[in-house]
Amino acid sequence: MSDHPARIRELTLYRQYFDLVASGRKTIEVRVKYPHLADLAPGDVIRFRVKGGDDICEVEVGRVTEYPGFEALLDGEGPGSINPTVSRERQLADIREIYPPEKEALGVLAIEIVRSGR
């Protein structure tokens, strides 16, 4: 159990990733360690919204693990938990298309998510 009250974070996802989260197939969310996510902790709730849409899916944070870069994250977490529909190489290319090198340099977070049914 965490030492702080659960907080709700609102984040957007592209449709393809949103559908994987909503189905429970995606169990690790990848984010750059922006200041507003630095204190993300187990027990927090993430309310995902489809980018440009109204669909919402809530998940609970199980754990947050920081990695120095995306390759280390994929090695540590396994690509199947991030996106079970594409190869590791495709995932790395897709992630780096979203987050350029200067963002990756901030550090990256593997956020274990559990579908809450909310």
Side-chain angles (χ1 to χ4, degrees), residues 12-15 49-55:
T12 59
L13 280 176
Y14 291 107
R15 169 58 75 180
R49 182 180 300 275
V50 172
K51 189 173 182 106
D54 295 326
D55 292 345

Side-chain angles (χ1 to χ4, degrees), residues 12-17 26 29-32 34 51 70 82-83 90-104:
T12 59
L13 280 176
Y14 291 107
R15 169 58 75 180
Q16 67 195 47
Y17 305 119
K26 178 177 175 62
E29 172 61 10
V30 176
R31 293 287 166 144
V32 168
Y34 290 123
K51 189 173 182 106
F70 297 124
I82 297 163
N83 184 348
R90 180 77 253 158
Q91 286 184 55
L92 187 58
D94 290 345
I95 292 168
R96 287 192 166 145
E97 188 174 316
I98 296 168
Y99 297 114
E102 63 272 13
K103 300 295 184 189
E104 183 176 1

